[in-house]
Amino acid sequence: MQTRRQTLGLLTAAGLAPAFPAGAQPRFPDQPVRMIVPFAAGGPADIIARVLGNAMGSRLGQPVVVDSRSGAGGMVGVEAAARSRPDGLTAVLASTGAVVVLPQLMPRMAYDVGKDLAPVIHVLSVPQILVVSPKLGVRSVAELVALARRQPGKLSYGSAGNGSSLHLAGELFRIRTGIDIVHVPYRGAAPAVTDLLGGTIDMLLADVPVVIPHIRAGALPALAVTAEERLAALPDLPTMEQAGARGVISDTWYALFVPAGTPPDRVAVLHAAAAAALGEGEVRRSLSDQGGTVHGGPPEALAALVRAETAKWGEVIRAANIRID
């Protein structure tokens, strides 16, 4: 069970212990921590949460229980967290869409990220890979852009739905390259990949784990990754910048939040446990297997990320006139 000494040790490891007066060591409840995942069980977010939760639990001295609350692009689970008691026993592994994208698209939201959630730690970011239909006959971003310019309005790109991170990534690519391509929304990335393989659509920007098996099998030509650096899993694949599409940096990131009003000492304990977990080699390897980059950093860094991403994607939403019907 969690003891005062264990709790203080976690805080000391995170550089947070000096914030508490001598003799006033923070206490953390000896109860399971609930980590809400706002997506279906078995998906990438669920895998990330279980890897992180297991490692955090061993440091907290109590289990971290994953609670799947899927629906509405992640908003159902985030709302459940925002409405939970702010006692440090509930957290949510939220992603880009429900934190920075959907709040700018929905006319009414059940929660206000800035008022109802408190940042804990940035966990992982997963970039997208630009893949094209084998029938298209292009093998580079330059060839794709040239083809699109010769045939304005003729080429199509798929996404996981209107307003999804893949939709915004596609719009960012369209805007930065100045091409005219048509958006085709699907109910998830899987059916979009199926139609891409069949040649129904021409291109797709999809998260790494979704398309990497098809790339390795030679079924889908990969043109570039929307990251600042090349992927270790695909070292020959250029970044968008290297391929000539400047400013096309996009990823789906995952981060841990708690309800606003959670006592700072309990946020600190959760942060310290998560930070220690993310520094563990086996945890980093397991998360990297999801095709992303492991992060970390203090809550303030996550808050800054939310502000920067809100501004970035808000600009894309306005420029592309994206709306949810």
Side-chain angles (χ1 to χ4, degrees), residues 64-81:
V64 175
V65 180
V66 173
D67 180 7
S68 297
R69 296 286 190 94
S70 62
M75 291 190 295
V76 170
V78 173
E79 180 187 358

Side-chain angles (χ1 to χ4, degrees), residues 51-263:
V51 170
L52 178 64
N54 286 339
M56 286 179 64
S58 66
R59 288 162 174 80
L60 293 170
Q62 54 205 51
V64 175
V65 180
V66 173
D67 180 7
S68 297
R69 296 286 190 94
S70 62
M75 291 190 295
V76 170
V78 173
E79 180 187 358
R83 299 289 175 258
S84 296
R85 182 178 298 175
D87 54 9
L89 294 176
T90 298
V92 60
L93 186 73
S95 64
T96 319
V99 175
V100 304
V101 175
L102 290 174
Q104 301 189 76
L105 290 173
M106 301 295 292
R108 302 179 71 177
M109 290 288 293
Y111 56 86
D112 183 315
V113 173
K115 295 179 180 179
D116 297 330
L117 295 174
V120 178
I121 195 166
H122 183 191
V123 177
L124 185 74
S125 60
V126 181
Q128 286 91 37
I129 295 178
L130 174 61
V131 288
V132 295
S133 167
K135 298 180 180 180
L136 206 58
V138 300
R139 291 295 182 269
S140 70
V141 172
E143 290 181 9
L144 176 62
V145 170
L147 179 62
R149 287 175 177 166
R150 290 196 303 269
Q151 303 177 22
K154 299 296 184 182
L155 301 186
S156 60
Y157 76 94
S159 80
N162 196 31
S164 66
S165 59
L166 306 190
H167 179 196
L168 267 66
E171 285 300 307
L172 181 64
F173 176 66
R174 180 188 65 80
I175 292 168
R176 293 288 187 263
T177 56
I179 58 177
D180 181 6
I181 52 179
V182 179
H183 174 226
V184 181
Y186 288 84
R187 296 177 67 85
V193 171
T194 298
D195 272 8
L196 182 66
L197 288 165
T200 304
I201 56 174
D202 299 304
M203 68 192 83
L204 175 68
L205 279 151
D207 290 352
V208 175
V210 175
V211 292
I212 199 167
H214 302 289
I215 295 169
R216 287 173 170 165
L220 286 177
L223 305 188
V225 61
T226 61
E228 294 181 351
E229 298 180 357
R230 295 192 180 204
L231 294 174
L234 297 170
D236 294 332
L237 184 67
T239 66
M240 282 286 192
E241 189 84 13
Q242 292 168 340
R246 296 187 174 181
V248 185
I249 304 294
S250 174
D251 55 41
T252 299
W253 50 259
Y254 300 88
L256 208 59
F257 296 84
V258 292
T262 301

Side-chain angles (χ1 to χ4, degrees), residues 7 13 26 48 59 72 96 103 133 152 161 228 249 270 273 289 296 302 314 323:
T7 301
I48 294 164
R59 288 162 174 80
T96 319
S133 167
E228 294 181 351
I249 304 294
L270 291 173
D289 285 345
L302 175 54
R323 299 181 183 182

